[in-house]
Amino acid sequence: DAGVIQSPRHEVTEMGQEVTLRCKPISGHDYLFWYRQTMMRGLELLIYFNNNVPIDDSGMPEDRFSAKMPNASFSTLKIQPSEPRDSAVYFCASSFRTNPGNTIYFGEGSWLTVV
Amino acid sequence: DAKTTQPPSMDCAEGRAANLPCNHSTISGNEYVYWYRQIHSQGPQYIIHGLKNNETNEMASLIITEDRKSSTLILPHATLRDTAVYYCLGRGYSTLTFGKGTMLLVS
């Protein structure tokens, strides 16, 4: 299996620009998660989906952030407009169900720098 | 999810066993103990998980105490490539909540 695939791996953008991060979950997984990692806050959950439907978006920092999952094999996390404080590593993860015994697998992350 | 407590850092000599402790005294009956690690600039990597019994796979062994209030991750023969931050998490029917983990330095 190819694992969770994220793109781009690295992005540098100017403040005010729109940023779109993409994720392809592991085939057959019905849960998809977006996490953000910073030095100050560590790894924190932003939002997760079940069967393409957002279940909990309480971790999304503000209205500038939005996430969609148009189908079972693709999700996007968009930041518009971007700000320097959005600089972080964004991880996508997926799992089959959320039973405690089912493992959540992570992608390699998208490194975002907003200047 | 259970709150977990881990030492902030540990050292291990290459070739020796690395034993990483974790306290999870508030873990509930249906929560599994999960271990992930994160090597610099990479995504969290799943290592192992267990509920009550000790578990072993190709990467590590997990020893869970009988009262389930603590566990130990064992890397039997640590190598330099095992240098990473190791996270212990308790997980029920929800997502993963990460703490600060243990920075393991193998040298």
Side-chain angles (χ1 to χ4, degrees):
Chain A
D1 198 312
V4 177
I5 299 173
Q6 294 185 243
S7 65
R9 287 299 314 278
H10 300 272
E11 174 135 356
V12 180
T13 190
E14 292 186 347
M15 182 175 62
Q17 296 297 307
E18 178 179 291
V19 174
T20 299
L21 308 178
R22 298 172 178 80
C23 175
K24 176 179 169 58
I26 293 173
S27 177
H29 283 188
D30 55 351
Y31 278 81
L32 183 139
F33 310 84
W34 283 100
Y35 282 81
R36 178 173 69 175
Q37 186 172 33
T38 61
M39 289 293 293
M40 291 295 293
R41 300 174 67 90
L43 268 163
E44 53 182 347
L45 177 68
L46 299 177
I47 185 172
Y48 75 95
F49 295 82
N50 174 220
N51 289 326
N52 314 335
V53 176
I55 302 301
D56 184 354
D57 65 355
S58 60
M60 295 285 264
E62 47 195 278
D63 292 344
R64 297 184 298 105
F65 285 69
S66 62
K68 294 182 179 179
M69 192 165 185
N71 58 62
S73 59
F74 183 67
S75 176
T76 60
L77 178 67
K78 188 173 294 187
I79 308 172
Q80 167 63 18
S82 58
E83 297 182 4
R85 59 189 168 132
D86 302 330
S87 298
V89 187
Y90 292 82
F91 291 104
C92 178
S94 71
S95 74
F96 177 60
R97 302 181 182 170
T98 58
N99 293 358
N102 288 0
T103 302
I104 296 176
Y105 295 95
F106 285 77
E108 288 303 307
S110 293
W111 289 66
L112 174 65
T113 302
V114 183
V115 297
Chain B
D1 293 335
K3 179 177 171 57
T4 60
T5 304
Q6 300 178 253
S9 64
M10 294 183 64
D11 294 327
C12 180
E14 190 176 20
R16 303 299 294 270
N19 297 278
L20 291 88
C22 179
N23 287 320
H24 34 78
S25 58
T26 62
I27 198 167
S28 63
N30 69 346
E31 286 185 304
Y32 280 68
V33 178
Y34 273 80
W35 284 83
Y36 283 78
R37 73 180 182 184
Q38 189 172 24
I39 298 170
H40 181 61
S41 79
Q42 297 183 17
Q45 178 189 23
Y46 165 76
I47 301 174
I48 199 168
H49 71 281
L51 183 61
K52 296 180 182 178
N53 300 322
N54 298 336
E55 302 288 344
T56 295
N57 63 20
E58 65 278 5
M59 290 183 67
S61 295
L62 174 60
I63 308 298
I64 303 174
T65 58
E66 193 168 342
D67 62 8
R68 303 211 323 125
K69 292 185 177 181
S70 66
S71 62
T72 301
L73 178 74
I74 301 172
L75 307 178
H77 305 287
T79 71
L80 299 179
R81 290 177 294 179
D82 293 321
T83 292
V85 178
Y86 287 76
Y87 297 98
C88 167
L89 309 97
R91 180 181 177 222
Y93 286 86
S94 65
T95 61
L96 293 170
T97 302
F98 288 83
K100 297 184 184 302
T102 295
M103 175 66 215
L104 175 68
L105 176 62
V106 182
S107 58

